[in-house]
Amino acid sequence: MSDYILQFLISGITVGSIYALVGLGFTIIYNASDVVNFAQGEFVMIGAMSAVSFSIAGIPLIIAIIMAMMVTVLVGFALNQFAIKPAKGASVVTTIIITIGASIFLRGAALLIWGKDFYSLPAFSGEQPIHIAGATILPQNLWVMGVSVLLVSAVLWFFKYTLLGKAILACSCNRTAAQMVGINVGKMMLLSYGLSAMLGALAGVLIVPITFSSYDAGIMLGLKGFSAAILGGIGNPIGAIVGGLLLGVLESLGAGFISSGYKDAIAFAIILFVLFVRPSGLLGHEHQERV
Amino acid sequence: MNLLRVKHLEKSFGGVSAISNLSFDLPKGIVFSVIGPNGAGKTTLFNMLCGFYTPDQGSIIFKKENAEYDKEVMYHSLHNMATHQIAACGISRSFQNLQIFFNMTALENVMVGCHLQSSSRFLPSLLRLPSVIKEEQRVKQQALNALAFCHLDHLANEMADSLAYGDLKRLEIARALASKPQLLMLDEPAAGLNDTETQQMSHLIRKICASGVTVLLVEHNMELVMTSSDQILVLNFGHLLAQGTPDEIQNNPVVVKAYLGEDI
Amino acid sequence: MKRLSGFYLLSLVALILPQIFPDNYYLTVVGVFAALHIILAVGLNLLMGYCGQISLGHAAFFGLGAYSSAILTTRYQLDPWLAMISGMVLVFIIANLIARPILKLKGHYLAMATLGFGIIVHIIFVQTEALSGGPDGLGDIPTLSIAGWAVDSDIRWYYVTTISALGSILLSLNLIASRSGRAIRAVHGSEFAAQMMGINSNKTKVMVFVFAAVLASFAGSLFAYQQNFVSPDSFSFFFSIELVTMVVLGGMASTYGAVFGAILLTFLPELLIVFEDYEMLVYGAILMLVMIFMPQGLFISLGHQLTQLKKNYWPNKKPAGDQQ
């Protein structure tokens, strides 16, 4: 039995790391602009699919990955410039619909470019399974977990210890005040979309050797990433990470011990339960209303 | 007769005491002001009176509508009630940060104030039964009357988000009056108003009191407080510092020192 | 009555149209879907537009109504009307149970909770094969009969669904112009102030949520009888998002806005078929462009444009020499 638990934990943490990265992407954009970017999942898809295309064209894997990241970052910039910025000052719901429109648009573009086929990348360092304590772990799983840890640490360090990171956070706390102290809010927005896109692209590239990708692979990932961010408390980067890992593990355990058909239902039911008990997520701050 | 009685009220937020052992009686039919420096606990008191906060200790009792004599059973116990239940006892208020319904016209705002004065339910409203139509007419007229009382009837069909700040402050009062309360609580009604508007507000407050509504006022503007009030309560750091008529308060050395300044 | 003049006009047009254009695919087939979407959008608009509570799981109630009708008629041989009413009662109970805890959440957390609820219900539709037929769906659903008059042709379905849609519009208009309607809008405007005016804000939110849910269940039952077939695909979170889009695109806090949005988003895919492979791309682009340039929604923005036009071309004439 304990063998199984370890196995489920490994796959849970792997997929949870991806959810964490996507959730982190949501959090960064939300922190910079109060917008929930429903096209976040599409960043993951575009990163994966671009990397595959570049790789198929003969470009070495590492370069293909870097180019895919650049493509996705450009898409992120474009999203900010052409969809979010022109709608400055629109209500929350309106902006949600804009990002939903953007996600449909990006999916439509992906459909045109790549069709409905499934694509994959070769595993980064081979497919020889490693046996630890009765469980099997693929090298790719280690890549996912390892790179995620690095990325997450880098992002957290960026926001806590660099002036640029703090400037982005300032924009979300109070846009006008940020402008008053000389922060170029427009540039900060652009940067945060670019950063989120980069995180999404890397997540896509990391996971595609395991799970394949297609034009609509971004939908479920976006949804799960959003759930992770909410579960952890939207706006809190650590919350998104905790939420992502927790969601991945719950899903995996649910699929393993109860039923793979119901795994998503179990995960969402638990999220609902958490929200009923902690209405601002696990690590979110209670919004104090002043009357 | 006392309308409101507060006994040994206590409230802290995360270890910081906002209100400490506060007791006072509010007589019926007067203008009663609560003053004190920022952080003295005035808004906390207000929010406890209308149920947004629950007191840590103490009691708040409020005279029932047709109470004839001064016995325990003639009072509602407010400190455990939800806000809408407290409103139903006959208390209404305006807010320090405007809580106008900006998605409605001025008239509709005040018609919401008539909620407790009407009773059409969900299902009959869906079907627009004759009783509903009749009540709508009555409520509309009542709302117009409340607007007229506050000199706002010419703005009835304007969207609330297009009105000037001074008008919005009076609109909140008109809305609160529409519910025909026994007690009207005004939270800094003169904030942001110029001298002329403040004088008009003072006038309005006395007019409201003359019409039979008891007024509880929180205010920083001393001119307004001294000219409109019958009684004043001074709070400092959550404690009751003094209570009395405007003259008594102005001449109270403790108050003068703590709040009004040494040079008066 | 002046208040309902727009409604009477809409009713007249809707009822006369198929007589002027008989056997028109867009009317009698697409129009039926538009009518069902109107019922859904009008209910959702009461919840989102007027009451300010976001719901990303509305398709679940549509599905619960459809499956109740499907299961009760095919597996238990219940009369279609009884099955429909049973579905509405079931949804009434479920909506009441989940509304109370869910509506205590705010903003994105509320969105998440409703999204989660919708997905859970969808998964149940897929997984409970013995009852629901699983991913392949449930067929052979009988049709509705009104006192012997069987609703078994496109044109009959057009009239049944259109009259139902008009009914739901009327109910919504009546509700908004009433004490309950003002209470709903007040809760959205300022929950504190609403409570201070004696409105039980929690109860109000629950009532709107339940009403919208029951309305969706009714539409779901109609859908099941019209299609004679249901499958989980029609009740996924995509459809929930589509419903939200209809409400926002048309214009929130406007019953006619929701009607407009529903009609538009039902016909748009039909019109976009000409773009073939570019259909999704163009659909996404249209959504973005409309919301960027008309953030209040098409119906409300167009309404403002028309009012502006009227002011420019028919300015109020003042007699010469009049000093203001």
Side-chain angles (χ1 to χ4, degrees):
Chain A
M1 190 56 146
S2 62
D3 297 349
Y4 287 133
I5 294 186
L6 188 59
Q7 192 66 56
F8 297 146
L9 276 176
I10 290 171
S11 55
I13 293 177
T14 307
V15 73
S17 307
I18 301 298
Y19 294 159
L21 287 176
V22 181
L24 200 56
F26 272 109
T27 304
I28 291 174
I29 290 183
Y30 178 79
N31 272 340
S33 63
D34 268 333
V35 167
V36 172
N37 174 26
F38 276 92
Q40 189 69 31
E42 268 58 51
F43 290 153
V44 179
M45 181 268 296
I46 291 173
M49 303 291 262
S50 311
V52 170
S53 290
F54 291 136
S55 179
I56 289 179
I59 298 170
L61 191 60
I62 302 255
I63 315 263
I65 291 175
I66 294 176
M67 285 172 70
M69 269 165 57
M70 278 163 38
V71 165
T72 315
V73 166
L74 282 173
V75 171
F77 284 164
L79 179 64
N80 181 44
Q81 281 301 110
F82 298 118
I84 305 293
K85 206 164 121 185
K88 211 165 27 171
S91 72
V92 173
V93 199
T94 300
T95 324
I96 287 177
I97 302 293
I98 293 178
T99 59
I100 289 175
S103 87
I104 296 176
F105 181 83
L106 290 171
R107 248 179 289 143
L111 185 60
L112 279 171
I113 299 173
W114 290 293
K116 290 194 180 175
D117 300 326
F118 285 85
Y119 293 90
S120 186
L121 274 177
F124 296 175
S125 49
E127 307 209 356
Q128 189 71 349
I130 305 164
H131 296 282
I132 297 180
T136 310
I137 187 166
L138 289 170
Q140 196 62 28
N141 292 51
L142 290 173
W143 273 107
V144 172
M145 295 190 231
V147 175
S148 300
V149 168
L150 277 171
L151 275 176
V152 159
S153 314
V155 168
L156 289 176
W157 177 85
F158 174 71
F159 279 115
K160 190 142 186 219
Y161 294 109
T162 65
L163 204 54
L164 201 56
K166 291 190 192 177
I168 295 181
L169 288 179
C171 294
S172 83
C173 284
N174 190 323
R175 203 186 178 94
T176 316
Q179 284 173 317
M180 292 279 128
V181 296
I183 295 175
N184 185 334
V185 174
K187 274 214 186 109
M188 294 302 119
M189 289 293 126
L190 208 58
L191 189 59
S192 56
Y193 275 82
L195 192 56
S196 282
M198 192 193 81
L199 280 175
L202 276 169
V205 159
L206 283 170
I207 200 75
V208 75
I210 303 180
T211 60
F212 296 73
S213 186
S214 64
Y215 83 103
D216 63 356
I219 302 172
M220 247 357 218
L221 278 172
L223 192 64
K224 299 278 175 70
F226 173 66
S227 311
I230 294 282
L231 179 62
I234 191 132
N236 187 336
I238 299 187
I241 296 158
V242 169
L245 290 171
L246 196 59
L247 187 59
V249 168
L250 283 175
E251 225 180 71
S252 189
L253 291 175
F257 288 124
I258 305 178
S259 143
S260 76
Y262 278 103
K263 70 172 164 78
D264 288 343
I266 295 165
F268 282 114
I270 293 178
I271 293 179
L272 273 171
F273 180 71
V274 169
L275 286 176
F276 291 160
V277 171
R278 286 191 67 94
S280 298
L282 289 170
L283 302 173
H285 354 256
E286 287 271 356
H287 178 62
Q288 280 289 17
E289 293 244 33
R290 301 202 107 217
V291 191
Chain B
M1 212 200 277
N2 285 318
L3 187 60
L4 181 78
R5 309 193 71 178
V6 169
K7 291 198 181 97
H8 308 298
L9 217 52
E10 302 264 352
K11 183 69 185 171
S12 313
F13 293 104
V16 178
S17 169
I19 293 280
S20 197
N21 198 15
L22 182 64
S23 302
F24 67 90
D25 291 336
L26 172 55
K28 196 169 147 94
I30 63 165
V31 176
F32 189 96
S33 292
V34 176
I35 67 173
N38 274 320
K42 308 187 294 296
T43 300
T44 307
L45 174 63
F46 251 45
N47 286 339
M48 277 196 281
L49 290 176
C50 60
F52 292 139
Y53 299 149
T54 313
D56 296 332
Q57 275 189 59
S59 70
I60 304 170
I61 57 177
F62 185 76
K63 180 69 53 82
K64 291 184 183 171
E65 188 93 43
N66 293 312
E68 280 149 16
Y69 47 93
D70 206 358
K71 269 253 140 87
E72 192 97 355
V73 67
M74 287 281 133
Y75 286 86
H76 293 290
S77 222
L78 294 186
H79 46 271
N80 287 319
M81 278 191 187
T83 304
H84 64 278
Q85 292 166 319
I86 292 178
C89 293
I91 300 183
S92 198
R93 72 174 278 191
S94 72
F95 297 86
Q96 187 179 1
N97 304 315
L98 283 177
Q99 299 285 327
I100 290 284
F101 306 129
F102 286 109
N103 51 347
M104 299 188 210
T105 64
L107 181 63
E108 287 169 330
N109 263 273
V110 181
M111 283 170 87
V112 176
C114 296
H115 187 87
L116 288 168
Q117 296 287 315
S118 48
S119 59
S120 297
R121 308 286 295 264
F122 195 85
L123 237 40
S125 299
L126 279 176
L127 301 170
R128 205 159 177 85
L129 298 179
S131 58
V132 170
I133 299 178
K134 215 167 118 186
E135 195 179 71
E136 278 291 295
Q137 300 286 54
R138 180 175 64 76
V139 161
K140 192 165 167 188
Q141 190 53 53
Q142 247 179 285
L144 282 168
N145 293 345
L147 280 172
F149 189 91
C150 298
H151 304 296
L152 288 170
D153 41 329
H154 58 291
L155 297 170
N157 293 318
E158 300 294 323
M159 283 301 288
D161 59 11
S162 66
L163 296 181
Y165 183 76
D167 291 334
L168 288 173
K169 295 229 62 131
R170 270 180 301 140
L171 182 60
E172 256 198 11
I173 296 176
R175 182 180 67 184
L177 282 175
S179 63
K180 302 224 163 95
Q182 291 187 77
L183 173 64
L184 177 66
M185 302 186 348
L186 300 177
D187 197 347
E188 302 203 23
L193 297 183
N194 62 36
D195 286 342
T196 320
E197 289 167 332
T198 305
Q199 266 186 12
Q200 289 170 343
M201 183 61 76
S202 179
H203 214 53
L204 182 60
I205 292 173
R206 292 257 35 126
K207 192 167 128 180
I208 293 171
C209 185
S211 75
V213 178
T214 307
V215 179
L216 178 60
L217 190 57
V218 155
E219 192 38 78
H220 278 296
N221 185 313
M222 280 307 120
E223 174 110 21
L224 182 77
V225 170
M226 296 303 166
T227 53
S228 322
S229 317
D230 297 311
Q231 268 199 46
I232 300 176
L233 187 91
V234 186
L235 284 182
N236 199 18
F237 292 116
H239 293 278
L240 191 153
L241 200 60
Q243 184 174 353
T245 65
D247 278 332
E248 287 166 6
I249 293 298
Q250 276 178 306
N251 294 318
N252 184 321
V254 184
V255 174
V256 172
K257 185 170 165 219
Y259 184 42
L260 293 173
E262 304 251 19
D263 286 323
I264 291 185
Chain C
M1 265 186 281
K2 193 173 152 208
R3 185 180 75 90
L4 290 178
S5 53
F7 175 73
Y8 292 135
L9 187 64
L10 179 68
S11 306
L12 195 66
V13 170
L15 295 172
I16 296 263
L17 228 44
Q19 304 299 331
I20 303 177
F21 303 104
D23 286 321
N24 185 317
Y25 164 81
Y26 288 109
L27 272 178
T28 51
V29 177
V30 188
V32 165
F33 284 115
L36 291 175
H37 290 161
I38 287 174
I39 300 174
L40 291 163
V42 163
L44 190 58
N45 180 48
L46 282 172
L47 182 64
M48 280 185 54
Y50 285 113
C51 197
Q53 308 298 310
I54 187 159
S55 172
L56 297 181
H58 207 56
F61 298 120
F62 183 55
L64 283 168
Y67 270 101
S68 298
S69 278
I71 294 172
L72 289 172
T73 52
T74 58
R75 298 204 196 280
Y76 297 98
Q77 275 70 47
L78 207 61
D79 168 74
W81 286 107
L82 276 178
M84 177 191 277
I85 292 174
S86 306
M88 286 164 78
V89 169
L90 177 70
V91 163
F92 180 82
I93 294 172
I94 294 178
N96 258 304
L97 280 173
I98 66 153
R100 259 160 255 274
I102 278 192
L103 291 170
K104 295 219 163 101
L105 301 167
K106 308 234 187 282
H108 301 294
Y109 301 102
L110 175 60
M112 180 71 240
T114 53
L115 186 65
F117 170 71
I119 290 180
I120 292 172
V121 171
H122 177 252
I123 290 178
I124 293 176
F125 290 154
V126 172
Q127 296 294 325
T128 53
E129 261 188 72
L131 203 58
S132 71
D136 293 329
L138 203 54
D140 290 326
I141 303 172
T143 189
L144 219 45
S145 267
I146 306 174
W149 184 77
V151 193
D152 55 8
S153 68
D154 285 343
I155 187 73
R156 290 187 180 193
W157 271 113
Y158 175 86
Y159 278 111
V160 167
T161 52
T162 300
I163 291 174
S164 304
L166 289 170
S168 64
I169 295 172
L170 186 62
L171 290 181
S172 174
L173 291 172
N174 285 347
L175 184 65
I176 290 307
S178 73
R179 171 182 185 256
S180 300
R182 278 188 298 275
I184 291 167
R185 294 159 70 199
V187 166
H188 183 24
S190 161
E191 204 168 331
F192 284 129
Q195 287 170 339
M196 207 62 228
M197 297 299 121
I199 296 168
N200 185 336
S201 59
N202 285 330
K203 193 165 143 200
T204 303
K205 289 192 257 183
V206 169
M207 277 205 302
V208 184
F209 187 87
V210 171
F211 179 63
V214 171
L215 211 53
S217 172
F218 169 66
S221 292
L222 286 178
F223 178 71
Y225 298 138
Q226 193 260 346
Q227 295 280 296
N228 308 115
F229 171 79
V230 289
S231 86
D233 288 338
S234 311
F235 314 114
S236 67
F237 92 100
F238 286 114
F239 190 57
S240 290
I241 302 286
E242 218 181 296
L243 290 175
V244 170
T245 308
M246 285 179 200
V247 169
V248 179
L249 201 74
M252 303 237 278
S254 161
T255 304
Y256 289 119
V259 173
F260 193 74
I263 294 176
L264 187 69
L265 277 177
T266 312
F267 281 93
L268 194 60
E270 297 287 320
L271 300 172
L272 290 184
I273 284 182
V274 299
F275 287 103
E276 294 178 348
D277 291 334
Y278 287 80
E279 189 189 325
M280 206 187 276
L281 196 73
V282 175
Y283 187 88
I286 290 178
L287 273 188
M288 283 197 282
L289 289 169
V290 170
M291 288 329 305
I292 292 171
F293 294 111
M294 302 195 196
Q296 286 186 301
L298 261 174
F299 184 75
I300 295 187
S301 294
L302 282 177
H304 286 167
Q305 304 273 31
L306 286 170
T307 320
Q308 266 307 112
L309 271 171
K310 194 175 130 190
K311 277 196 191 146
N312 291 337
Y313 284 100
W314 289 280
N316 289 326
K317 291 213 168 87
K318 288 198 168 66
D322 201 26
Q323 300 287 336
Q324 191 62 4

